[in-house]
Amino acid sequence: MVVIAIPTASAPTINRIRLAAIVANVPVKVLPSTTQLLHDNVGIRDLRDVNITDVLGRNQLDTDVEAIASYLTGRKVLVTGAGGSIGSELCRQIHRFEPAELMMLDRDESALHAVQLSIHGRALLDSDEVILCDIRDEPTVKRIFATRRPDVVFHAAALKHLPMLEQYPAEAVKTNVIGTGTLLEAADLVGVERFVNISTDKAANPCSVLGYSKRIAERMTAEQAREADGTYLSVRFGNVLGSRGSVLASFARQIAEGGPITVTDPEVTRYFMTIEEACQLVIQAAAIGAPGEALVLDMGEPVRIVDVAHQLIEQAGTPVPIEFTGLRDGEKLHEELFGDDEPQDIRPRHPLVSHVSVPPVTEAEVSALPQVGRPEEVRDALAALCKTSGDAEVSVDHPADELVETDRR
């Protein structure tokens, strides 16, 4: 047996060893990640087989723990969408930095139960760390902020399923746009020091309702950055492995049912990152970002979805057919991390985090978006607002001698 006892081993390293072991007919096990080794009770039983997450993700992270601790330790931190895939992992990682108070806000009570259980090993849902609230409810959101007065906010609440939002674009307006605006205003009213809007690669050159709504949310955050005293910024990344509704979960279910595995197009590619990696970089990025900018996480090389399907079939050891269904409305063949009008990939402070400026959008422009009406009308209004450049871009001030331009990966 071969044991990969390198907790920070990169995806290419693991894959190279895995392929060599297949040729040699030797089983391979991997050691848990560095984060698990440092914070969890890890035993010999935790040695496990190589999985698709190891092959696609598991980048080595150079985390500046001191910088993170300085803005989280002893501070009151609120996470919206705390029961979701990204939100719950953010809560688990933030909890390790011993904030004075961790407030987990979600509209799903079962999701709040799950995240509280994962952090404490028990979940009675009777403490004030769990907050049941919909970010569409403006009076309640503002009351919570006025009462609890968070210092740091991670905004992960959003509607995210692209095909669903193509059918119901007004719901994207209500949650991803208006809900974000409510949080930004509430944060400013109570003097939040740092507000982190969780965005997506679909906001770069958007062509879907999801992309439009998240791009507008980035621009709203940039607008708030011009007026507020605190640091308001966005963090943009692509698909996370193992999240709810992710392609891995869908493929695993299809394989278990005997297939076929459905892939939209044989050439379609996506960026992938593990939830753990994404959240570590989100927390890191929040420590180094300037007001109004979007920080773009390095997702490595894009991966062909059909290759992911083949690897899962290989691991399952069961022959399952693959069926190509065609791209759906709003889907791209290849996702992008940067828009055509955004600067080159510049990483002044962290090798895995790029900085781009974001043009602001006015409150009047956002208020003019329809929240009811025919789907095509709402969709067109979102697209039109994304095309406007704003009054001016927020300047991003980084020391000139720190600027390092790197090739886009």
Side-chain angles (χ1 to χ4, degrees):
M1 176 183 293
V2 172
V3 177
I4 304 176
I6 312 170
T8 54
S10 66
T13 298
I14 291 178
N15 201 34
R16 187 172 66 251
I17 296 171
R18 180 183 73 90
L19 293 175
I22 289 174
V23 174
N25 196 28
V26 176
V28 179
K29 300 287 185 180
V30 295
L31 201 65
S33 68
T34 304
T35 302
Q36 290 174 302
L37 289 174
L38 290 175
H39 298 287
D40 297 338
N41 294 320
V42 178
I44 189 65
R45 293 179 183 177
D46 293 291
L47 284 176
R48 55 171 175 76
D49 295 332
V50 176
N51 59 33
I52 195 71
T53 298
D54 299 311
V55 175
L56 295 181
R58 205 178 171 92
N59 291 329
Q60 180 173 349
L61 301 182
D62 180 19
T63 303
D64 186 350
V65 176
E66 195 170 305
I68 291 173
S70 68
Y71 83 92
L72 289 180
T73 302
R75 315 299 288 164
K76 293 187 290 184
V77 184
L78 184 146
V79 179
T80 74
S85 304
I86 294 296
S88 60
E89 179 61 24
L90 277 172
C91 289
R92 285 187 286 272
Q93 293 197 25
I94 292 167
H95 175 72
R96 294 168 179 161
F97 289 98
E98 300 181 348
E101 189 175 353
L102 175 58
M103 295 166 266
M104 300 180 286
L105 184 149
D106 203 291
R107 66 178 183 179
D108 185 339
E109 58 181 349
S110 297
L112 286 174
H113 178 274
V115 66
Q116 190 178 46
L117 183 66
S118 71
I119 290 175
H120 302 297
R122 60 196 296 271
L124 300 179
L125 296 179
D126 59 354
S127 66
D128 59 6
E129 73 173 354
V130 288
I131 303 173
L132 190 62
C133 174
D134 192 323
I135 64 170
R136 295 183 181 191
D137 186 347
E138 181 178 359
T140 300
V141 168
K142 290 185 175 179
R143 176 179 57 79
I144 290 169
F145 271 69
T147 304
R148 307 295 293 276
R149 307 190 76 83
D151 301 306
V152 180
V153 174
F154 289 89
H155 172 36
L159 296 176
K160 67 172 187 176
H161 289 287
L162 188 149
M164 184 68 74
L165 296 185
E166 290 297 311
Q167 292 187 70
Y168 304 101
E171 299 306 304
V173 174
K174 294 172 187 176
T175 297
N176 297 357
V177 178
I178 304 303
T180 297
T182 295
L183 290 165
L184 288 167
E185 184 178 350
D188 188 25
L189 288 173
V190 301
V192 165
E193 297 172 6
R194 196 170 296 267
F195 186 103
V196 184
N197 169 50
I198 306 299
S199 191
T200 169
D201 57 358
K202 292 171 179 60
N205 294 330
C207 65
S208 64
V209 170
L210 173 58
Y212 297 144
S213 64
K214 297 298 280 185
R215 176 57 175 172
I216 293 169
E218 287 184 356
R219 296 183 58 190
M220 294 167 66
T221 305
E223 172 67 21
Q224 195 69 51
R226 300 203 299 179
E227 307 295 332
D229 293 331
T231 299
Y232 288 68
L233 54 90
S234 297
V235 179
R236 182 191 301 169
F237 54 92
N239 299 277
V240 289
L241 296 166
S243 63
R244 289 191 300 189
S246 73
V247 68
L248 292 190
S250 299
F251 285 175
R253 184 174 62 253
Q254 290 173 336
I255 290 173
E257 294 172 353
I261 286 182
T262 55
V263 178
T264 55
D265 188 281
E267 297 303 319
V268 68
T269 64
R270 292 292 181 264
Y271 290 97
F272 285 101
M273 177 177 275
T274 66
I275 295 177
E276 180 183 84
E277 292 164 351
C279 290
Q280 283 185 45
L281 279 178
V282 166
I283 294 172
Q284 175 76 69
I288 64 177
E293 66 183 359
L295 303 180
V296 184
L297 305 189
D298 185 336
M299 301 290 294
E301 295 295 333
V303 177
R304 287 205 316 162
I305 298 299
V306 71
D307 292 340
V308 175
H310 283 303
Q311 288 188 30
L312 286 174
I313 292 171
E314 175 190 312
Q315 289 184 358
T318 305
V320 175
I322 296 176
E323 180 181 301
F324 297 104
T325 59
L327 291 174
R328 297 169 292 186
D329 290 342
E331 282 192 317
K332 296 178 181 179
L333 190 63
H334 307 292
E335 290 291 0
E336 305 159 274
L337 293 176
F338 300 89
D340 292 339
D341 58 345
E342 291 178 335
Q344 293 297 307
D345 187 1
I346 298 174
R347 311 181 186 196
R349 299 188 178 181
H350 194 285
L352 297 179
V353 181
S354 304
H355 299 243
V356 297
S357 59
V358 177
V361 63
T362 67
E363 183 179 348
E365 289 175 304
V366 173
S367 298
L369 287 173
Q371 298 183 45
V372 294
R374 294 165 53 220
E376 55 269 29
E377 293 175 348
V378 180
R379 196 179 300 115
D380 289 346
L382 285 164
L385 184 52
C386 283
K387 291 177 182 177
T388 61
S389 60
D391 298 331
E393 290 194 352
V394 177
S395 62
V396 179
D397 184 18
H398 295 301
D401 61 346
E402 286 187 359
L403 290 178
V404 178
E405 190 165 323
T406 61
D407 293 332
R408 193 173 302 178
R409 300 208 312 178

